[in-house]
Amino acid sequence: MRMAVTLLSKVGYSVTIAAAVVFSSIAPAATLGLPDTPLFLAGGAQPNLIMAIDDSGSMDFEVLFPTNDGAAWWRLQQWGSCPDSTANSFVGCRNNADGTSDVPAPGQLNFNNSGENSFNIPRDDNNNNDVQVWRKFVYLFPNGYPDPDDDQFLFVTARRRVNDGSGHYAIPPIPAYAWARSPDHNAAYFNPSVNYTPWVSTADYTFGNSPASAARFDPVFETDRTMNLTRDRTGNVSVDPNTACGSLTSSASDNHYFKVYRGMTLPSQTCLRRSDNTNWETIGTNGCQVGVNGQCDTSLRVSGNRVTSLDSGALVAIRYFPATFYLAAGTALPTGYGYTAAATTTGRAPNGTTALNGYQIKRTNFGSDAAYNTAIQNFANWFTYYRKRHQALRAGLGEAFSDITGIRVDGFTINNRQDVTMGTVDDTRRALYQKFYTQFVRA
């Protein structure tokens, strides 16, 4: 007699076969072998993987906040349902539940439902006048403006922090905005609990630990652009932390500035240099309210006259220590981190009340050379290999494909779409990593 038998293979495919059932004394046949893979893959064809890589300008940002595009948005005046009374701030205006407009949200980072970053935004206000509403802050380490005649200007990686030309500014390094340098609020920022390793090396690229005294701004491009993370930064140079503010002579040319607006207050003892002055000065005991006449207690002088206010929208170089991070006051440092000093500074979360403790990675703040060296090395690696969004992406691509074999792969950038040429990763690995580290970051 014959009967139909349905079997279930190891991969879940139902297989119906015809089996002969013979009632006799003959020994049974061998066990039927079932495939471990779908039958349509029996020929051994390699799977194909095509990647679409984001190469937009936002990939150059050094911040990733919970906002519409990850930027910190400074609001100048009324917008949506957010009144003028809550303006002149990074906080207080967020997208509503249905996603159609922005509404008051005390203590929360601005959302900017419009996404606009122009100096003049059209708004129907009876007079049909354009208004200035938003200013976009996306950098933390100002390092100048690229030469547009330089071929590498075409690369996102070669872009440096810029000013009025594009409206993308650097957040002032003051305690009120400590949240910008805290992984609790800026997901792109250095986290002492994470071990940052150099990118995967290939035949064309060898990456090692980034030297803290000369950390490159990018692992591949602009090899002469570095920052000394162990010294104070003043404009476009690094100086001994013991150098008095009034003795500084460094320049702040080529847009090594921070942008300040009315509503910001620079605290007492802030060391700064205005873009229209040649001297470095210290803010007095009352602090400096930007854009408020007579409220900037400094001895800044322009053409021999004392400056008693700092104009809204001014460019200033501010002295700061780059290897600094902030954590929530109740958050402990990683076990064995070796930081023995008290928190160096106290900052604030976006709500203005929750305290953040600031930590500076200096030798005097650690109990041993070994602990300090480990901490500053980790920060240097983050700075060079992970500081910007595209750097973290390139790191991830390099790591993800380091052990992959047996697939065909290629990719394209979303703003410069081109035909792809699929190839086996084992044969094209060298060319693939050139795309990861250089070509996939074209603007």
Side-chain angles (χ1 to χ4, degrees):
M1 62 179 292
R2 302 179 67 86
M3 61 182 293
V5 181
T6 300
L7 302 176
L8 189 65
S9 76
K10 294 180 181 179
V11 293
Y13 284 83
S14 181
V15 181
T16 301
I17 64 173
V21 181
V22 180
F23 297 96
S24 70
S25 60
I26 300 175
T31 303
L32 179 65
L34 297 175
D36 289 330
T37 59
L39 297 179
F40 67 88
L41 291 180
Q46 292 182 331
N48 291 299
L49 174 63
I50 298 178
M51 297 174 288
I53 305 298
D54 188 355
D55 63 334
S56 58
S58 63
M59 294 300 289
D60 193 55
F61 296 175
E62 294 174 335
V63 298
L64 189 58
F65 301 114
T67 62
N68 53 298
D69 63 353
W73 290 92
W74 184 267
R75 188 168 60 88
L76 298 173
Q77 57 180 299
Q78 187 272 332
W79 180 256
S81 299
C82 304
D84 286 344
S85 60
T86 61
N88 298 311
S89 176
F90 280 119
V91 302
C93 191
R94 285 197 64 83
N95 187 247
N96 65 7
D98 63 13
T100 60
S101 63
D102 291 322
V103 297
Q108 298 185 48
L109 289 172
N110 293 330
F111 188 86
N112 186 9
N113 182 67
S114 73
E116 294 287 347
N117 185 37
S118 60
F119 285 155
N120 293 288
I121 300 176
R123 185 179 71 178
D124 186 4
D125 60 355
N126 297 326
N127 294 320
N128 296 316
N129 294 326
D130 291 350
V131 296
Q132 296 186 359
V133 178
W134 298 106
R135 295 293 183 267
K136 192 171 189 175
F137 288 74
V138 297
Y139 294 102
L140 302 174
F141 303 91
N143 67 331
Y145 189 82
D147 180 358
D149 295 326
D150 186 343
D151 289 340
Q152 292 197 81
F153 179 74
L154 296 176
F155 287 93
V156 173
T157 49
R159 288 182 183 173
R160 305 169 202 156
R161 206 281 312 164
V162 296
N163 271 309
D164 293 324
S166 70
H168 295 72
Y169 306 126
I171 301 172
I174 59 177
Y177 311 132
W179 42 265
R181 292 165 173 81
S182 169
D184 296 329
H185 302 278
N186 176 8
Y189 199 71
F190 171 78
N191 186 335
S193 297
V194 175
N195 181 33
Y196 298 95
T197 58
W199 291 354
V200 171
S201 296
T202 71
D204 294 307
Y205 305 101
T206 300
F207 300 111
N209 284 331
S210 177
S213 60
R216 289 174 56 173
F217 282 96
D218 187 87
V220 175
F221 303 110
E222 297 188 309
T223 57
D224 60 335
R225 288 272 168 177
T226 64
M227 178 181 285
N228 189 336
L229 303 175
T230 69
R231 296 163 69 90
D232 285 357
R233 189 71 174 179
T234 57
N236 57 355
V237 301
S238 299
V239 299
D240 189 313
N242 295 319
T243 303
C245 182
S247 300
L248 297 176
T249 59
S250 58
S251 170
S253 61
D254 299 327
N255 287 320
H256 291 80
Y257 296 105
F258 296 92
K259 193 84 162 181
V260 295
Y261 282 99
R262 182 184 179 91
M264 296 182 179
T265 297
L266 303 181
S268 173
Q269 300 305 306
T270 300
C271 177
L272 61 81
R273 178 185 183 274
R274 291 167 50 118
S275 61
D276 57 357
N277 194 7
T278 59
N279 299 321
W280 287 81
E281 302 285 349
T282 302
I283 299 295
T285 56
N286 295 327
C288 174
Q289 298 182 50
V290 177
V292 180
N293 187 38
Q295 295 298 312
C296 189
D297 184 16
T298 73
S299 58
L300 289 171
R301 296 183 181 278
V302 179
S303 300
N305 298 317
R306 178 170 178 170
V307 177
T308 58
S309 66
L310 191 60
D311 295 337
S312 184
L315 298 173
V316 294
I318 299 176
R319 181 176 185 168
Y320 68 103
F321 185 72
T324 299
F325 63 91
Y326 290 82
L327 300 176
T331 301
L333 288 167
T335 302
Y337 196 67
Y339 199 98
T340 56
T344 308
T345 57
T346 300
R348 296 294 172 186
N351 60 18
T353 57
T354 302
L356 300 176
N357 287 337
Y359 302 90
Q360 294 182 328
I361 306 178
K362 297 179 177 180
R363 174 61 187 90
T364 54
N365 294 331
F366 286 80
S368 68
D369 290 341
Y372 165 72
N373 291 336
T374 298
I376 193 64
Q377 183 62 75
N378 202 34
F379 190 93
N381 284 348
W382 167 81
F383 184 90
T384 296
Y385 296 109
Y386 301 87
R387 184 183 79 260
K388 294 189 176 186
R389 297 182 189 180
H390 64 70
Q391 290 175 336
L393 170 64
R394 292 149 77 193
L397 288 171
E399 183 66 30
F401 283 84
S402 61
D403 296 323
I404 287 182
T405 61
I407 67 170
R408 290 162 51 82
V409 63
D410 200 7
F412 62 91
T413 54
I414 62 176
N415 289 299
N416 186 28
R417 292 185 291 274
Q418 297 179 349
D419 292 339
V420 297
T421 302
M422 305 300 293
T424 302
V425 67
D426 309 88
D427 300 327
T428 63
R429 191 177 303 276
R430 186 170 188 171
L432 185 64
Y433 273 76
Q434 287 179 334
K435 291 183 177 181
F436 289 168
Y437 293 154
T438 63
Q439 299 173 33
F440 279 173
V441 288
R442 280 191 181 274

